[in-house]
Amino acid sequence: MRRNILITGGAGFIGSHVVRLFATKYPDYRIVNLDKLTYAGNLANLRDVEQAPNYTFVKADICDFDTVCALFRRYAVDGVIHLAAESHVDRSITDPFTFARTNVMGTLSLLEAARRAWNGAWEGKLFHHVSTDEVYGALEAGGGLFTEETKYDPHSPYSASKASSDHFVRAYRDTYGMPTLVTNCSNNYGPYQFPEKLIPLFINNIRQGRPLPVYGRGENVRDWLYVEDHARAIDTIFHRGRAGATYNIGGFNEWRNIDLIRLLVRTTDQLLGNPEGASERLVTFVTDRAGHDLRYAIDASKLRDELGWEPSLQFEEGIERTVRWYLDHSDWMDGVTSGAYEKYYEAMYGNR
Ligand code: NAD
Ligand code: DAU
């Protein structure tokens, strides 16, 4: 049974929920969180688990191969859940090199460290790679869904880098026989998401009376899943999934951006005590994202039928919970947007 789990990117949005779930649910595991603490990594996301006796944080870059190899030895790592990545599509358009470095070379560095550490003794080992539905490309409006058999067709530097990392993971399975899993998930939302992504950015802008920049006409469609449901899916698949397999994860929950934005405006105004529709005036249509994929929608029936996982939360309830969380944690939001948290961790852990 795997008990020494290396979680990469555990100080980020989804990673922090995965670390919290594993550290609390599995007291007899050792959870090692390897994170570089880029702008997106924030140890404040993990305040409630940082003292747990089964939890260790290591500040390091997944591209630093020697350090990664040393970690495998030091902690006798037998399971990896790999989330560390550059994750924002807009940033990948302006800075593609960083995405190739971290997402492709970083993943390769982890795979090769695992191969050397495990040295063919695959029994009880697992490399679980957390990926995205964006590798499948774009769907037509009202067309079908992405299944595990959908051909890869990435369009952004971000999705191209994630597709490449997925291919490397499968190459290690096919070439060396390494037990690997790939999960491809749809858009996540919930607490601790960096406010460059649509939902926390817009909640914060409504709070501050700033414009809400809707790309194009707001016609693009995304399939939204509450982040804790994603963390539960990872737990389920890491423990009961078939090694070598791919599982799609999604909420069966498609929303046009403009409809989601109206829901966000309504919910946020209501919780702030503003008159109904007060923040509608902030909606501002701006130039579209380059190469903006029209629609993503996941068929998660394989995961449901094989492993019994289902999303637990209705979207309206999840959005209300999320808006409430950001409004109640304005100190977190202000810390992240002011850059104060970066200065604090720089002082603690040195320059990044
Ligand atoms: P995030 O940007 O919030 O967090 C990424 C984390 O990785 C940060 O803590 C950052 O410090 C760390 N990191 C970045 N580069 C690193 C490096 N070189 N070495 C070590 N750590 C590094 O991302 P997220 O939204 O939580 O996404 C996590 C994973 O899930 C990513 O692999 C992403 O592709 C995937 N994913 C995200 C979504 C989504 O909706 N956010 C959906 C599907 C899949
Ligand atoms: O589908 C999974 C992916 O979802 C993950 O792999 C990515 O890591 C994650 O960032 C997310 O990518 P998106 O590009 O879909 O998420 P984002 O929040 O950036 O944008 C959601 C939609 O909203 C998208 O159609 C672009 C649009 N948008 C976004 C921003 C930030 C706007 O209209 N205005 C904005 O300001």
Side-chain angles (χ1 to χ4, degrees):
M1 184 55 186
R2 294 177 290 276
R3 290 188 195 287
N4 297 321
I5 318 293
L6 179 67
I7 299 181
T8 70
F13 165 49
I14 302 170
S16 63
H17 289 274
V18 175
V19 165
R20 180 174 299 102
L21 178 64
F22 273 66
T24 50
K25 187 169 172 187
Y26 303 108
D28 57 334
Y29 287 12
R30 175 159 50 191
I31 308 299
V32 179
N33 172 14
L34 160 57
D35 198 298
K36 184 182 176 185
L37 298 181
T38 66
Y39 78 94
N42 184 359
L43 291 178
N45 299 356
L46 288 165
R47 281 274 180 272
D48 50 338
V49 290
E50 65 191 4
Q51 300 302 335
N54 61 341
Y55 170 71
T56 305
F57 172 69
V58 178
K59 180 181 185 290
D61 187 331
I62 55 169
C63 299
D64 178 350
F65 181 63
D66 291 342
T67 299
V68 174
C69 286
L71 283 178
F72 269 84
R73 285 194 299 273
R74 175 160 182 203
Y75 294 105
V77 170
D78 46 19
V80 176
I81 304 177
H82 174 36
L83 297 109
E86 290 293 334
S87 67
H88 190 41
V89 174
D90 292 333
R91 285 180 191 256
S92 82
I93 295 168
T94 52
D95 182 18
F97 275 126
T98 306
F99 282 70
R101 181 183 179 276
T102 289
N103 299 359
V104 184
M105 293 306 290
T107 300
L108 182 55
S109 157
L110 284 165
L111 284 165
E112 185 56 17
R115 182 173 84 86
R116 293 193 192 182
W118 296 342
N119 195 24
W122 304 128
E123 188 63 32
K125 311 292 195 307
L126 185 65
F127 190 108
H128 180 154
H129 177 60
V130 176
S131 192
T132 171
D133 59 0
E134 298 200 13
V135 297
Y136 297 125
L139 295 164
E140 296 296 321
L145 304 175
F146 295 135
T147 73
E148 287 80 359
E149 276 69 50
T150 303
K151 217 162 74 57
Y152 274 32
D153 184 20
H155 298 140
S156 72
Y158 164 68
S159 54
S161 69
K162 291 295 290 187
S164 171
S165 66
D166 293 10
H167 290 318
F168 267 108
V169 172
R170 296 193 180 103
Y172 268 64
R173 174 198 65 191
D174 296 341
T175 307
Y176 306 111
M178 183 185 285
T180 62
L181 267 173
V182 179
T183 52
N184 297 89
C185 188
S186 64
N187 285 62
N188 284 216
Y189 71 100
Y192 299 117
Q193 187 168 32
F194 194 83
E196 62 190 351
K197 309 284 166 55
L198 179 76
I199 289 181
L201 175 73
F202 277 35
I203 296 170
N204 194 38
N205 284 8
I206 296 169
R207 180 173 78 100
Q208 307 203 329
R210 294 215 206 106
L212 307 175
V214 182
Y215 297 162
R217 300 304 306 159
E219 302 280 335
N220 302 68
V221 173
R222 296 292 181 265
D223 171 4
W224 294 94
L225 179 68
Y226 193 66
V227 62
E228 288 179 5
D229 280 333
H230 187 189
R232 266 195 318 108
I234 288 173
D235 177 24
T236 302
I237 296 165
F238 181 77
H239 287 98
R240 296 196 287 114
R242 279 180 293 111
T246 296
Y247 294 90
N248 279 353
I249 308 171
F252 293 108
N253 179 42
E254 290 182 53
W255 283 73
R256 274 196 323 157
N257 288 344
I258 194 65
D259 299 329
L260 161 60
I261 288 160
R262 293 211 173 100
L263 172 66
L264 266 184
V265 167
R266 237 186 359 262
T267 310
T268 311
D269 271 341
Q270 197 175 39
L271 292 176
L272 284 171
N274 292 339
E276 200 180 322
S279 301
E280 284 278 351
R281 69 188 163 79
L282 301 175
V283 171
T284 310
F285 292 95
V286 299
T287 308
D288 207 355
R289 173 185 278 174
H292 198 175
D293 286 334
L294 179 63
R295 173 174 167 253
Y296 304 142
I298 279 280
D299 178 353
S301 54
K302 174 177 173 183
L303 173 57
R304 183 190 58 205
D305 297 347
E306 271 189 27
L307 302 176
W309 174 91
E310 279 189 24
S312 69
L313 213 57
Q314 283 300 311
F315 191 56
E316 282 82 350
E317 188 190 343
I319 283 293
E320 179 171 341
R321 193 187 283 191
T322 301
V323 173
R324 209 180 275 286
W325 188 90
Y326 284 104
L327 296 182
D328 288 349
H329 293 79
S330 50
D331 51 337
W332 181 90
M333 183 63 92
D334 293 340
V336 167
T337 48
S338 72
Y341 81 99
E342 289 201 65
K343 290 198 189 75
Y344 174 69
Y345 290 114
E346 241 167 56
M348 257 173 93
Y349 292 100
N351 275 329
R352 292 172 231 174

